[in-house]
Amino acid sequence: MVRIPADPRARILGNLKRSVETWDFALMEKSVDQAMKAGIPAEEIMEEGLGKGMESISKLFDNAKIYLPQVMAASRTVEGALKKLEPILNSDTTMYRGIIVMGSVEGDIHEIGKNVCCAMLRGAGYKVIDLGPDVSPEDFMKAAEESSADIVAGSALMTTTLKMQQRMVKAANEEGSTVMMIFGGAPCSKEWVEKIGGDGYSASGTEIVTLVNSLMGRKSN
C-alpha cells in the first residue's frame, strides 16, 4: 500500500490545534516556527490552527470534561504563540481581530466567569485587556479610550451590582463614546441588556466568542 504524504500545511495547522487542546507548549513553539518558515499567514495560523484548538477547548469546558485550570493553560499556550508571532503580526495589518476591555463591575469581586471569557477571547485571536474585579464605569471608559477598544465587557455576578452595567452604558453615552458594550453574569439577561441599551448579552465563554465575532463583523460592514 502506497502511503500518501500529508499536506505539510495541514499537518502544521493540525499540530497547532493539538498543541492548544493539550496545552503542549513545546509542540506549540515547534509548530509556530514551522508555520512561519512555511510562510503560512498569521491570520491562518490564528484561525485555522490556534482558533480551532480553542473551539475544542470551549466545547470540552461546556460539557464539563475540563475545568478552568485547563482552559487557562490552553489560553496561555495561545498567548505564547501570539508572542512568537509578533514579528509577522507587527507587519500584518490584521494583527488581532479586535480589542476587548473586560472586567467585573464596581462592587463585584467575582472573577471566575470573567476569566473564562478572557481566555476564550484570547484564544479566538482577540487582544483582551483584563481590568480585574471591582471596576468603576469611569475606569472602563478610560481603558477603552486609551486602548482604542472595539468592545467593553462588564460582568456582574450579584443582583446588587447589576445596576453598574446600566451606569456603564450611561457613562459611555455621556462621553459620546461609540464603543460597543456587552454584558453577562448570573443575574444578567438578554432582556436586561436590551433594556439598558447594551449591544449584546453572553451567558458563557462559548457564547461570548460568537457574540464578539458577530459584533465585529457588523462593525466592519
Side-chain angles (χ1 to χ4, degrees):
M1 181 177 176
V2 179
R3 192 173 179 182
I4 301 173
D7 174 13
R9 191 186 207 87
R11 176 179 53 79
I12 293 169
L13 293 173
N15 284 340
L16 282 166
K17 176 177 179 286
R18 188 162 64 255
S19 75
V20 176
E21 292 170 335
T22 58
W23 44 97
D24 187 333
F25 221 82
L27 177 59
M28 174 276 291
E29 291 185 321
K30 178 182 176 182
S31 300
V32 170
D33 287 340
Q34 290 176 339
M36 290 193 291
K37 188 175 180 180
I40 301 176
E43 185 175 2
E44 190 172 348
I45 293 171
M46 292 164 67
E47 292 187 7
E48 298 303 319
L50 304 170
K52 295 294 184 185
M54 280 305 292
E55 284 179 19
S56 297
I57 289 292
S58 179
K59 290 174 183 175
L60 290 169
F61 181 77
D62 280 352
N63 292 323
K65 293 184 177 179
I66 60 172
Y67 301 96
L68 182 57
Q70 289 78 32
V71 173
M72 299 301 287
S75 177
R76 284 193 291 271
T77 303
V78 173
E79 289 180 50
L82 294 177
K83 189 170 183 62
K84 284 184 68 66
L85 286 168
E86 280 180 358
I88 56 176
L89 281 173
N90 288 338
S91 61
D92 189 334
T93 55
T94 60
M95 293 188 72
Y96 293 99
R97 297 172 68 183
I99 300 173
I100 319 297
V101 167
M102 182 173 288
S104 298
V105 300
E106 187 173 354
D108 205 314
I109 60 171
H110 300 86
E111 291 196 85
I112 292 178
K114 171 186 66 63
N115 290 345
V116 171
C117 289
C118 287
M120 294 300 185
L121 286 168
R122 285 175 177 140
Y126 290 97
K127 180 177 182 179
V128 180
I129 299 168
D130 183 359
L131 301 181
D134 193 21
V135 184
S136 70
E138 294 75 21
D139 285 343
F140 270 113
M141 297 315 303
K142 181 181 178 183
E145 184 179 356
E146 290 176 347
S147 63
S148 299
D150 298 292
I151 294 173
V152 169
S155 173
L157 271 292
M158 300 186 297
T159 305
T160 53
T161 60
L162 201 57
K163 61 184 179 182
M164 286 300 169
Q165 294 179 333
Q166 188 171 27
R167 280 188 53 191
M168 287 173 63
V169 175
K170 183 180 179 182
N173 291 337
E174 288 175 349
E175 291 189 13
S177 174
T178 58
V179 69
M180 292 181 284
M181 315 274 295
I182 63 175
F183 302 102
C188 187
S189 67
K190 183 179 179 182
E191 291 73 25
W192 166 251
V193 174
E194 289 176 351
K195 179 182 177 180
I196 65 175
D199 294 288
Y201 161 73
S202 169
S204 69
T206 305
E207 285 188 18
I208 199 169
V209 173
T210 302
L211 172 62
V212 168
N213 286 345
S214 174
L215 291 174
M216 290 301 296
R218 194 186 313 166
K219 183 178 180 179
S220 62
N221 291 335

